[in-house]
Amino acid sequence: MRIFVTGASGLLGSKITELATEAGHKVISGYATRTPDYGDIIRLDIRDEKSILKRIAESKPDTIIHCAALTNVDDCESNKDLAKKINTDGTKGVAKAAKNAGAYLVYISTDYVFDGLKGLYREGDKEAPINFYGHSKLLGEKAVISLNNEFLIIRPSIIYGARSASGKTNFALWILKSLEKMVTINILTDQYVSPTLNTNLAKILLEACEKKLDGIYHMAGNFRISRYNFAIRLAEIFGLDKTLIKKVKMSDMNWIAKRPRDSSLNVSKANMVLKTKLMNLNDSIGVLKEEIKLAARN
Ligand SMILES: NC(=O)c1ccc[n+]([C@@H]2O[C@H](COP(=O)([O-])OP(=O)(O)OC[C@H]3O[C@@H](n4cnc5c(N)ncnc54)[C@H](OP(=O)(O)O)[C@@H]3O)[C@@H](O)[C@H]2O)c1
């Protein structure tokens, strides 16, 4: 495949470009401010539609994986105009460019399109975002559906991985680093998610691209867990002191944006059709542990 990845410096994009390069695909890596490690690198602000259309036409990809987004939920709430420009209008631009290039488009959406009242959401469940991040990403989904014939929309839930990316840590890495330094951390007991290892998601995505899977698929960890219990399991598997993990509730948080209480996802649709499987809790943390060990050796 000849794959154009937007957001190639991000937590998911960096893993996709790494695995796609290793698998022998031609990779073109788009980024905004931080240079990606893999692929032919192209600086591309997705707020600039003209340049998206031009750069993607020049790159002639057969596949586009669109990961770029404003992912900070509170930033989206306090700067709605920026969130709209990046997450909605930027996605519209990428969708148009994919259509013009005749490329298969994969759009990475989010579990935050749901209101969190039900949990274990399936692909057919009604979307009802409760914050601007979710709203702006859902409008991105609608743009893809209306503009593209060959597309795949993926909804992960909180993504984590062995390395920081795009200038920031991630949920699992932050927990591990804090516990290693013996720092006490407050973790929510009443917010439920399906934590997604970036390596597992990147692998399954590449298989989905090869098969040109179409429609909407939930691709996340194959389990529902509170953030607190996830932190406890991480501590147990890594042999760290779990008494440093303190319980807090969503009502204790000083967030700008509301969060869904339970945005966990049912991933059985993807697990039924793909060879690569979305992993359970212990297996995914086991892979994370191996990856962190390997990274420390290099
Ligand atoms: N992280 C999660 O927990 C989570 C959960 C569900 C869904 N998702 C979705 O999954 C996708 C990947 O998330 P992630 O965590 O990998 O993201 P991330 O680490 O926050 O990275 C965001 C990426 O978007 C790029 N970007 C931001 N603004 C841009 C702009 N104006 N023009 C071009 N590129 C721009 C960044 O580039 P620079 O680094 O160069 O600035 C970076 O490569 C996103 O679409 C997100 O909505 C994420």
Side-chain angles (χ1 to χ4, degrees):
M1 290 186 286
R2 189 174 171 85
I3 312 175
F4 194 112
V5 180
T6 72
S9 50
L11 180 57
L12 177 61
S14 60
K15 194 45 92 172
I16 294 171
T17 55
E18 179 187 336
L19 297 188
T21 303
E22 278 171 15
H25 299 295
K26 174 74 191 165
V27 177
I28 304 119
S29 297
Y31 73 103
T33 53
R34 295 172 187 87
T35 320
D37 293 332
Y38 296 89
D40 291 353
I41 291 159
I42 294 187
R43 183 147 194 275
L44 175 72
D45 189 330
I46 63 159
R47 288 171 295 177
D48 177 355
E49 189 176 303
K50 262 193 201 153
S51 102
I52 301 173
L53 293 170
K54 184 169 179 283
R55 295 305 209 149
I56 290 184
E58 285 166 357
S59 304
K60 298 186 174 55
D62 52 55
T63 302
I64 299 172
I65 307 181
H66 175 37
C67 301
L70 184 64
T71 55
N72 184 305
V73 177
D74 285 334
D75 286 353
C76 289
E77 206 67 25
S78 46
N79 198 342
K80 296 191 173 74
D81 184 51
L82 182 65
K84 178 182 173 294
K85 282 189 177 133
I86 297 177
N87 295 349
T88 306
D89 302 342
T91 299
K92 235 178 249 173
V94 174
K96 280 186 199 165
K99 189 180 178 187
N100 292 350
Y104 168 71
L105 174 64
V106 180
Y107 169 53
I108 312 300
S109 185
T110 173
D111 53 338
Y112 274 29
V113 297
F114 296 113
D115 58 18
L117 298 178
K118 173 179 162 285
L120 287 175
Y121 287 98
R122 288 180 178 268
E123 288 79 353
D125 285 329
K126 182 92 195 102
E127 304 88 356
I130 58 168
N131 56 41
F132 198 78
Y133 169 69
H135 176 68
S136 65
K137 295 286 295 182
L138 181 60
L139 292 181
E141 289 191 7
K142 292 192 190 309
V144 169
I145 292 168
S146 72
L147 285 163
N148 301 93
N149 295 326
E150 283 197 306
F151 68 84
L152 174 63
I153 292 172
I154 297 300
R155 295 181 185 141
S157 174
I158 181 163
I159 303 173
Y160 66 96
R163 292 174 58 188
S164 53
S166 193
K168 26 180 219 291
T169 185
N170 57 70
F171 186 54
L173 210 53
W174 167 73
I175 292 167
L176 293 171
K177 297 274 175 224
S178 304
L179 299 183
E180 276 166 14
K181 287 187 229 147
M182 302 298 281
V183 173
T184 299
I185 49 175
N186 295 328
I187 308 283
L188 296 165
T189 53
D190 57 349
Q191 194 188 24
Y192 293 85
V193 284
S194 297
T196 313
L197 178 65
N198 63 351
T199 315
N200 188 206
L201 179 55
K203 255 186 210 154
I204 204 163
L205 270 175
L206 289 176
E207 186 192 334
C209 288
E210 270 161 14
K211 295 197 165 128
K212 288 223 168 128
L213 210 63
D214 68 317
I216 301 180
Y217 280 80
H218 291 174
M219 292 191 182
N222 189 7
F223 53 97
R224 168 188 181 270
I225 196 166
S226 70
R227 285 189 181 247
Y228 177 81
N229 283 334
F230 181 67
I232 293 288
R233 200 67 200 116
L234 271 173
E236 286 169 351
I237 294 180
F238 279 78
L240 295 164
D241 182 0
K242 59 186 176 189
T243 64
L244 294 165
I245 306 169
K246 305 295 175 203
K247 295 179 178 180
V248 285
K249 295 219 172 285
M250 287 174 76
S251 54
D252 298 325
M253 302 303 290
N254 259 335
W255 287 321
I256 299 169
K258 281 194 215 158
R259 266 56 168 186
R261 190 187 60 78
D262 185 345
S263 60
S264 58
L265 298 172
N266 180 314
V267 298
S268 53
K269 183 179 172 191
N271 268 353
M272 243 154 52
V273 296
L274 293 166
K275 218 168 100 207
T276 316
K277 300 297 174 201
L278 290 154
M279 294 165 92
N280 66 32
L281 173 63
N282 289 341
D283 289 348
S284 48
I285 298 182
V287 172
L288 177 73
K289 196 173 174 186
E290 285 308 308
E291 288 184 358
I292 289 178
K293 248 196 237 161
L294 205 68
R297 259 188 250 138
N298 294 333

